[in-house]
Amino acid sequence: MTTNKINAESMQKAYDENYQTFLNKNHDYGNSFELSLDKHGLVAGIVRISDKYNRLVNLTKNENRVLESKSDTFKDMANYCLMQAVWLEEL
């Protein structure tokens, strides 16, 4: 018997954690992602998302020596994708 790990509660928890990560990173780094989008356009976001994708591929293929987990990388990618979408909607 398998348990249902992906449910409304677990998704809400993940959204809340990602939102807090967004707030913390914006506090520490400033709004560098949006500044990059404003300066370089859509491609700036695509490059950052692509970097996260490539990191996932390498974390999957190779022995991990970094502290960032695959889960953390997926969450970062999700935040970048959502920030990109919000930026596009605000144009």
Side-chain angles (χ1 to χ4, degrees):
M1 180 178 170
T2 61
T3 60
N4 185 2
K5 294 180 183 180
I6 303 172
N7 55 48
E9 292 80 18
S10 65
M11 291 300 295
Q12 187 64 57
K13 182 180 179 209
Y15 295 144
D16 292 345
E17 288 173 0
N18 245 22
Y19 178 66
Q20 191 59 52
T21 298
F22 164 78
L23 292 175
N24 292 340
K25 286 189 175 187
N26 257 23
H27 175 268
D28 290 352
Y29 307 146
N31 200 6
S32 62
F33 185 72
E34 185 173 10
L35 293 173
S36 294
L37 291 171
D38 290 344
K39 183 174 182 179
H40 303 291
L42 184 64
V43 71
I46 293 170
V47 167
R48 294 223 190 151
I49 293 164
S50 177
D51 287 342
K52 291 294 178 179
Y53 170 80
N54 288 328
R55 183 173 295 167
L56 281 167
V57 169
N58 285 323
L59 286 172
T60 301
K61 286 182 180 180
N62 303 314
E63 179 182 338
N64 299 334
R65 294 183 183 174
V66 296
L67 296 178
E68 185 172 358
S69 69
K70 290 179 208 117
S71 179
D72 288 340
T73 305
F74 273 115
K75 290 175 183 177
D76 276 349
M77 186 186 295
N79 265 345
Y80 280 132
C81 289
L82 193 53
M83 287 187 291
Q84 181 88 50
V86 169
W87 182 81
L88 283 170
E89 291 172 0
E90 296 297 324
L91 288 179

